[in-house]
Amino acid sequence: MQEKYQPIGVFDSGYGGLTILKSIMEQLPQYDYIYLGDNARTPYGSRSFDVVYEYTRQAVMKLFSMGCPLIILACNTASAKALRTIQQNDLPQLDPLLRVLGVIRPSVEKIPLLTRTGHVGVLGTSGTVLSESYPLEIAKISGDHIIVTQEACPMWVPLVENDETCNPAADYFVQKNINNLFSRDPEIDTVILGCTHYPLLLPAINRFLPDHVTLLEQGPIVAERLGDYLVRHTELEQKCSKEGSRRFLTTESVQNFEPLASQFFGSKLIAEKIILQ
Ligand code: DGL
């Protein structure tokens, strides 16, 4: 019998992580979850390492203080720029059982199973692309057998955040970035959607992506890997409370957050405002 409320924390710079939480909840509905979106300070994609680390650290500390034993950084930019420092510098000073996991490693582990040509494309924010996290993580797993070409898509997050995903402007930028990617490497057969906002642009992405290309969406993969992780880490799994509750926190006003957040999440949600510092 679980005594304490110890939810799994899911953090994103804004709305994007809700696409990950949705998949996690579909596969692992039994746990309690707290979602935290730092919407007041989004986007993180164009911010420096130091700033993304500091903002992410504040969010992680907040979620730990609310009882989370495990936090998923459901944001590629935070995973790329802050995860390692948090794991190496911050966690050792806290309870040794606390864990913070990212979304890049689980996505990358799928790549060798999917690509036949060994040519992979990554679509992400400028921050994620400049961090080189995807090429570095892919190289760790596959050596130099896989050639990675990245394309920064700085307009895609603003299009999503402004609910402008189904119009000619969205089509223009999606087509432009996809064409850029394939003009640099026409042999790409697998593309990682390396930003949690991008699933909201899937109708346009599917229109412009060549038919033979496999698109790797992070939500279901992160959920599957989290399930495996909890099976392998029984002590942590037992700590996570299992009442099936959900709580949504944002650093913006709830009136601003709730309408678009409900679209990302796929159903209506009620949020609470918090302050990070
Ligand atoms: N959701 C973030 C990611 O996955 C991108 C949004 C932002 O730039 O803050 O990288």
Side-chain angles (χ1 to χ4, degrees):
M1 183 72 176
Q2 191 75 45
E3 286 164 23
K4 256 168 97 186
Y5 175 61
Q6 293 193 299
I8 297 175
V10 177
F11 169 70
D12 184 60
S13 59
Y15 299 105
L18 288 162
T19 62
I20 304 280
L21 176 62
K22 188 175 170 211
S23 295
I24 293 176
M25 280 173 40
E26 275 162 18
Q27 292 193 33
L28 304 166
Q30 66 272 37
Y31 297 103
D32 295 311
Y33 294 97
I34 297 187
Y35 182 84
L36 169 51
D38 191 7
N39 297 75
R41 302 189 292 196
T42 199
Y44 281 14
S46 47
R47 295 192 189 274
S48 68
F49 266 84
D50 286 354
V51 170
V52 173
Y53 162 64
E54 182 50 30
Y55 287 178
T56 307
R57 193 190 62 78
Q58 291 171 6
V60 161
M61 292 304 162
K62 181 77 181 176
L63 288 167
F64 281 150
S65 77
M66 298 176 81
C68 298
L70 167 65
I71 298 168
I72 311 297
L73 299 186
C75 173
N76 287 267
T77 313
S79 299
K81 292 183 159 184
L83 178 62
R84 184 181 300 230
T85 315
I86 288 172
Q87 286 175 334
Q88 290 179 355
N89 294 0
D90 296 292
L91 289 187
Q93 298 174 38
L94 303 167
D95 181 336
L97 263 185
L98 298 175
R99 289 285 178 276
V100 181
L101 306 174
V103 288
I104 293 179
R105 188 69 191 221
S107 314
V108 159
E109 282 169 0
K110 282 275 174 193
I111 290 297
L113 307 172
L114 296 176
T115 179
R116 292 172 314 283
T117 63
H119 291 247
V120 169
V122 176
L123 299 167
T125 65
S126 307
T128 298
V129 167
L130 286 173
S131 75
E132 295 280 329
S133 294
Y134 275 99
L136 291 169
E137 288 295 329
I138 291 172
K140 275 188 209 160
I141 287 176
S142 313
D144 52 9
H145 298 303
I146 292 181
I147 294 164
V148 182
T149 304
Q150 302 191 91
E151 170 74 5
C153 310
M155 291 304 293
W156 291 21
V157 168
L159 284 166
V160 171
E161 297 262 330
N162 288 288
D163 200 10
E164 298 283 358
T165 55
C166 297
N167 59 37
D171 285 359
Y172 171 82
F173 285 109
V174 169
Q175 184 173 29
K176 181 178 156 191
N177 290 122
I178 288 178
N179 286 353
N180 284 348
L181 185 69
F182 282 88
S183 67
R184 302 220 305 285
D185 183 357
E187 289 185 63
I188 290 170
D189 71 349
T190 307
V191 169
I192 301 175
L193 223 43
C195 172
T196 54
H197 278 61
Y198 295 175
L200 276 283
L201 284 162
L202 268 178
I205 294 168
N206 284 328
R207 259 201 309 284
F208 298 114
L209 204 67
D211 286 342
H212 68 279
V213 171
T214 303
L215 188 66
L216 190 147
E217 235 195 290
Q218 293 182 310
I221 292 169
V222 171
E224 180 194 309
R225 298 318 311 268
L226 176 60
D228 292 346
Y229 185 88
L230 290 169
V231 167
R232 283 184 285 112
H233 296 80
T234 43
E235 206 177 342
L236 181 64
E237 199 282 331
Q238 281 159 14
K239 271 173 89 86
C240 296
S241 55
K242 301 171 190 70
E243 300 287 336
S245 73
R246 294 86 184 77
R247 226 177 133 186
F248 298 90
L249 311 176
T250 176
T251 53
E252 247 297 344
S253 75
V254 294
Q255 289 80 3
N256 283 353
F257 178 76
E258 284 172 354
L260 197 51
S262 300
Q263 276 189 44
F264 272 79
F265 191 56
S267 59
K268 190 166 163 37
L269 59 83
I270 305 292
E272 301 156 56
K273 181 178 158 61
I274 57 148
I275 292 170
L276 287 181
Q277 54 196 9

